[in-house]
Amino acid sequence: MTDIAKLGEFGLIRHLTDGHAPKNESTIYGVGDDCAVMHYPDKEVLVTTDMLMEGVHFDLTYIDLQHLGYKSAMVNISDIFAMNGTPRQLIVSIALSKRFTVEDMEMFYSGLRMACEKWNVDIVGGDTTSSYTGLAISITCIGECAKEDIVYRNGAKDTDLICVSGDLGAAYMGLQLLEREKSVYYQQVNEARKKNDKRALEELAHFQPDFAGKEYLLQRQLKPEARGDILQALRERNIHPTAMMDISDGLSSELLHICNQSNCGCRIYEKNIPIDYQTAVMAEEMNMNVTTCALNGGEDYELLFTVPIGDHEKIEDMKDVKLIGHITKKELGHMLVSRDNNEFELKAQGWNPLKD
Amino acid sequence: MTDIAKLGEFGLIRHLTDGHAPKNESTIYGVGDDCAVMHYPDKEVLVTTDMLMEGVHFDLTYIDLQHLGYKSAMVNISDIFAMNGTPRQLIVSIALSKRFTVEDMEMFYSGLRMACEKWNVDIVGGDTTSSYTGLAISITCIGECAKEDIVYRNGAKDTDLICVSGDLGAAYMGLQLLEREKSVYYQQVNEARKKNDKRALEELAHFQPDFAGKEYLLQRQLKPEARGDILQALRERNIHPTAMMDISDGLSSELLHICNQSNCGCRIYEKNIPIDYQTAVMAEEMNMNVTTCALNGGEDYELLFTVPIGDHEKIEDMKDVKLIGHITKKELGHMLVSRDNNEFELKAQGWNPLKD
């Protein structure tokens, strides 16, 4: 393992970024000066940023640095898609404590690059520095969109259809699964320590949690995919969403953002919320309500969007997009209609990093 | 004091950003959607980012949150100036631990805004989240520049003059001063505790370090200014720098960047390096070599640039710009000529966050 101090800041940056030619015409100059330089003569420039802190947003006991890099890039790319844009450049800042090596950073960058290559994004700069405690990551993604194609959160209208891509709640159940296996592991370690059972401790060093049949949940938690493919499918069908977001904090929270900003109400149907079989099984196993998980779990990175009611047939025809309800007048509130036809007020109970 | 949990992430963001209309035509949409939206039809877009970690880049025992906000914004604005650009938008990400209150964030934002207002910059977005330990700040600044006006690091040519704005080493001496007063304070507290001297401890609670006659050093450390005024003065005189950087890690380190990227050598003169009187006095007091402080101290945020030798008279005529040497052929190395006419090889001993 190579100590990062051996390379220093500039050496490390060169080591991680050399030899990667930019793929986008809009990328004029990347790593190596005070600023990155871009050129967007005919389009609007989209910029989004996300900060990820060790212990709050990720736990390195169950996500490796390659997956973390992939996820960090993908969640930012997802925000560009959420405006109907095309991602083009990524700026990567990391602060790391002394326990990280050059090889760790190589893994992180290989994950970043995998995500960037999938969507043709150039890494054009950032900041690499040190931290006293743990890893802090801040990623900024830059994209483009023609002015008339941008989809904001505030364009939903009464009678519009509410659609969601993929399925919901799986990333959250994946997290529950990882947390459970982690606590089982530490429980066994503690017991073996109490008994001073050296053989058990040795076996535990090679502990392999059993995730058989639950691979999809792990994949959704550890390797989320931004849904640029859905934008492509919408364009092919000539469907222009009136409002759009990506689902990072949970369906409830995001749908309320769209309703608040569009000044309208909504009515969604529990029976229409797309849920994968593995998500349902895992919720059952953990004695959790699967609809609550789908509404509030978060980290799905699926697209939530509204379309005019005239697009009904086109949407029904789409693979991997589900119609879950419709936009209403504001006075009708934000309602969830349950399977047994009861009505509930939707609440944003999704992930709030600043709550107690 | 107001607990941040009371407002939540979106409440806090609204509280800090509501009621500030954008001032730049290029700012199309700011806080409140998945991305900020900008429009740069005729210019190149410049993007820079900086990450600041508590304990590594700042110490809240001697910088208050308002100054920290000001400095965080200013050092990024400085990077845009370093390309000869005009700063336009700022994106602010913060991760904070539970000890911070809404009022703390108001102070931080008031500092950010002061810096932004000085240079007409719009705050257009960011991310606000929590941290287990301390405060992490990541700022991204977006600016613009006409293609033909951008000044990179790689354009310096043999015989070009090397110029620097303002004076150097003062921010570093300001840091030394703050560190000294901090250690004096803790020494006194420890002694009082040992003796259980309650009266002394009470007095120490109102400890006021004596900074009389050293205000300039503190100001340079706590409230750095980006030198957009120098760019303006250069334009008025029709001077086009061939290479430029801002001095954040120290003159030596930055000059070596310019030489490496421009594939040339340099020769600078110790007697020409601009040093303020207070910097010299403080270095004397601390038994430090003032030239070493000026070469390697860092955090000056002055501009270092090269101009064709034909601009000699125009530069001599400029207020607050000093000619410190000239660019040479690469074979001649990177030389510092001391006051007694000895020659030394310049070394980058500036601040390296990833060094042991």
Side-chain angles (χ1 to χ4, degrees):
Chain A
M1 289 295 168
T2 317
D3 193 344
I4 286 176
K6 241 182 89 177
L7 292 180
E9 179 183 359
F10 304 113
L12 178 64
I13 292 170
R14 262 198 309 274
H15 178 71
L16 295 171
T17 59
D18 263 9
H20 293 270
K23 293 170 211 150
N24 291 293
E25 244 183 82
S26 52
T27 307
I28 308 296
Y29 195 93
V31 176
D33 216 302
D34 297 286
C35 299
V37 183
M38 281 148 267
H39 191 50
Y40 284 103
D42 307 314
K43 299 287 181 73
E44 309 286 280
V45 187
L46 307 175
V47 183
T48 182
T49 195
D50 252 310
M51 201 162 193
L52 303 166
M53 304 292 292
E54 186 173 352
V56 177
H57 302 90
F58 57 89
D59 181 336
L60 289 172
T61 56
Y62 49 67
I63 188 165
D64 62 89
L65 283 159
Q66 192 174 29
H67 277 99
L68 184 61
Y70 191 89
K71 186 169 174 174
S72 306
M74 217 34 114
V75 304
N76 277 280
I77 289 171
S78 178
D79 275 320
I80 300 284
F81 287 144
M83 305 286 284
N84 200 27
T86 306
R88 296 293 188 198
Q89 287 91 16
L90 203 76
I91 293 178
V92 182
S93 292
I94 32 177
L96 36 133
S97 62
K98 291 213 187 301
R99 76 176 201 272
F100 295 97
T101 65
V102 171
E103 288 75 12
D104 288 333
M105 285 304 101
E106 283 170 359
M107 288 308 285
F108 181 74
Y109 261 74
S110 83
L112 281 176
R113 281 200 197 283
M114 245 187 267
C116 285
E117 270 157 28
K118 186 153 195 167
W119 294 109
N120 226 35
V121 171
D122 296 320
I123 297 176
V124 295
D127 193 12
T128 308
T129 192
S130 59
S131 141
Y132 264 132
T133 49
L135 182 63
I137 302 165
S138 173
I139 309 252
T140 299
C141 190
I142 298 159
E144 63 174 53
C145 192
K147 189 180 172 189
E148 60 277 16
D149 292 336
I150 297 183
V151 181
Y152 291 95
R153 297 178 179 176
N154 61 9
K157 300 267 180 309
D158 186 20
T159 77
D160 278 358
L161 306 175
I162 301 169
C163 310
V164 71
S165 66
D167 59 79
L168 304 179
Y172 180 73
M173 292 319 301
L175 181 63
Q176 299 308 311
L177 176 63
L178 287 162
E179 294 272 10
R180 184 180 72 179
E181 293 300 309
K182 183 182 163 184
S183 84
V184 166
Y185 170 73
Y186 281 111
Q187 217 174 311
Q188 292 182 10
V189 168
N190 281 339
E191 272 168 33
R193 275 193 191 139
K194 259 188 216 157
K195 295 181 196 152
N196 202 15
D197 182 344
K198 280 182 190 162
R199 204 178 133 190
L201 277 169
E202 213 163 282
E203 272 169 25
L204 279 165
H206 308 282
F207 178 81
Q208 283 292 349
D210 181 15
F211 294 136
K214 301 194 165 73
E215 294 82 359
Y216 180 66
L217 305 179
L218 289 185
Q219 190 200 319
R220 294 286 285 173
Q221 171 56 226
L222 301 177
K223 195 165 174 283
E225 297 293 347
R227 301 305 305 263
D229 57 326
I230 297 291
L231 297 185
Q232 190 53 38
L234 289 168
R235 281 177 207 136
E236 281 163 12
R237 284 161 182 79
N238 213 9
I239 302 173
H240 302 278
T242 50
M244 186 155 60
M245 281 187 75
D246 68 331
I247 302 176
S248 53
D249 296 340
L251 174 64
S252 284
S253 163
E254 315 301 20
L255 188 52
L256 289 171
H257 279 302
I258 286 183
C259 287
N260 289 336
Q261 295 200 28
S262 300
N263 206 25
C264 60
C266 65
R267 194 174 172 84
I268 60 170
Y269 297 87
E270 184 183 14
K271 67 177 182 345
N272 293 354
I273 297 172
I275 289 167
D276 184 81
Y277 174 75
Q278 287 189 20
T279 310
V281 169
M282 185 72 196
E284 181 81 26
E285 202 179 311
M286 290 211 156
N287 211 11
M288 294 170 97
N289 181 316
V290 71
T291 301
T292 306
C293 297
L295 285 172
N296 302 314
E299 292 201 275
D300 301 303
Y301 302 105
E302 295 294 342
L303 290 172
L304 168 68
F305 57 95
T306 57
V307 299
I309 193 165
D311 286 334
H312 189 278
E313 277 180 36
K314 289 191 204 167
I315 289 285
E316 292 265 290
D317 186 43
M318 277 182 82
K319 232 188 78 190
D320 219 17
V321 168
K322 198 84 185 279
L323 208 160
I324 61 167
H326 55 270
I327 296 293
T328 62
K329 288 200 169 54
K330 195 181 179 182
E331 307 84 77
L332 297 178
H334 310 103
M335 308 310 293
L336 171 74
V337 181
S338 65
R339 279 173 211 281
D340 54 8
N341 266 319
N342 283 312
E343 293 190 2
F344 298 90
E345 179 84 20
L346 272 181
K347 286 204 178 94
Q349 294 169 321
W351 193 69
N352 183 342
L354 300 177
K355 244 163 76 177
D356 262 328
Chain B
M1 290 296 168
T2 317
D3 192 344
I4 286 176
K6 241 181 91 178
L7 293 179
E9 179 183 359
F10 304 113
L12 178 64
I13 293 171
R14 264 198 308 274
H15 178 70
L16 295 171
T17 60
D18 263 8
H20 293 270
K23 293 170 211 150
N24 291 293
E25 244 183 81
S26 53
T27 306
I28 308 295
Y29 195 92
V31 176
D33 215 301
D34 297 285
C35 298
V37 183
M38 280 148 268
H39 192 49
Y40 284 103
D42 307 315
K43 300 285 180 75
E44 309 285 278
V45 187
L46 306 175
V47 183
T48 182
T49 196
D50 251 311
M51 202 161 190
L52 303 166
M53 304 292 292
E54 186 173 353
V56 178
H57 302 89
F58 58 88
D59 180 336
L60 289 172
T61 58
Y62 50 67
I63 188 165
D64 61 88
L65 283 160
Q66 193 174 28
H67 278 100
L68 183 61
Y70 190 89
K71 186 170 174 174
S72 307
M74 215 37 113
V75 304
N76 277 279
I77 289 171
S78 178
D79 275 321
I80 300 284
F81 287 144
M83 305 284 286
N84 199 26
T86 306
R88 295 294 187 197
Q89 287 91 16
L90 203 76
I91 293 179
V92 181
S93 292
I94 29 176
L96 36 134
S97 63
K98 290 212 187 303
R99 77 176 199 272
F100 295 96
T101 64
V102 171
E103 288 75 11
D104 287 333
M105 284 304 101
E106 283 169 0
M107 289 307 284
F108 181 74
Y109 262 74
S110 82
L112 281 176
R113 281 197 197 286
M114 245 185 267
C116 286
E117 270 156 29
K118 186 153 198 168
W119 293 110
N120 225 33
V121 172
D122 297 320
I123 298 177
V124 295
D127 193 13
T128 307
T129 193
S130 58
S131 140
Y132 265 132
T133 49
L135 182 62
I137 302 166
S138 174
I139 308 253
T140 299
C141 189
I142 298 158
E144 63 173 52
C145 192
K147 189 181 172 189
E148 59 277 18
D149 293 335
I150 298 184
V151 181
Y152 291 95
R153 297 177 179 176
N154 61 10
K157 301 263 181 309
D158 186 20
T159 76
D160 279 358
L161 306 174
I162 302 170
C163 310
V164 71
S165 67
D167 60 77
L168 303 180
Y172 181 73
M173 291 319 301
L175 182 63
Q176 299 308 311
L177 177 63
L178 287 163
E179 294 272 9
R180 184 179 73 180
E181 293 300 310
K182 183 182 163 184
S183 84
V184 165
Y185 169 73
Y186 281 112
Q187 218 174 311
Q188 292 183 9
V189 168
N190 281 338
E191 272 168 33
R193 274 193 191 140
K194 261 188 215 156
K195 296 181 196 153
N196 203 15
D197 182 344
K198 280 183 189 160
R199 206 179 131 188
L201 278 169
E202 214 164 279
E203 272 169 24
L204 279 164
H206 308 283
F207 178 80
Q208 282 291 349
D210 181 15
F211 293 135
K214 301 194 164 71
E215 294 82 0
Y216 180 65
L217 306 179
L218 289 184
Q219 191 201 317
R220 294 285 285 173
Q221 170 57 227
L222 301 177
K223 195 165 174 282
E225 297 293 347
R227 299 308 303 263
D229 58 327
I230 297 290
L231 297 186
Q232 190 53 39
L234 289 169
R235 279 176 209 137
E236 281 163 12
R237 284 161 182 78
N238 214 10
I239 302 172
H240 303 279
T242 50
M244 187 156 58
M245 280 186 76
D246 68 331
I247 302 177
S248 52
D249 297 341
L251 174 63
S252 283
S253 161
E254 316 301 21
L255 188 53
L256 289 172
H257 279 303
I258 287 183
C259 288
N260 288 337
Q261 295 200 27
S262 300
N263 207 26
C264 60
C266 65
R267 194 174 172 84
I268 61 170
Y269 297 87
E270 183 183 15
K271 67 178 184 343
N272 292 355
I273 296 173
I275 289 167
D276 185 80
Y277 174 75
Q278 287 188 22
T279 310
V281 169
M282 186 71 196
E284 181 80 25
E285 202 179 310
M286 290 209 157
N287 210 11
M288 294 168 96
N289 181 315
V290 71
T291 302
T292 307
C293 298
L295 285 172
N296 302 314
E299 292 202 275
D300 301 302
Y301 301 105
E302 295 295 342
L303 290 173
L304 167 69
F305 56 96
T306 56
V307 300
I309 193 165
D311 286 334
H312 189 276
E313 277 180 35
K314 289 189 202 169
I315 289 285
E316 291 265 290
D317 187 43
M318 276 182 82
K319 233 188 74 189
D320 219 16
V321 168
K322 199 83 186 282
L323 208 159
I324 61 167
H326 55 269
I327 296 293
T328 62
K329 288 200 168 53
K330 196 182 179 182
E331 307 82 77
L332 298 177
H334 311 102
M335 308 309 295
L336 171 74
V337 181
S338 66
R339 280 172 211 280
D340 54 8
N341 265 319
N342 283 312
E343 293 190 3
F344 298 89
E345 179 84 20
L346 273 180
K347 288 207 177 91
Q349 294 169 322
W351 193 70
N352 183 343
L354 300 178
K355 244 163 74 177
D356 261 328

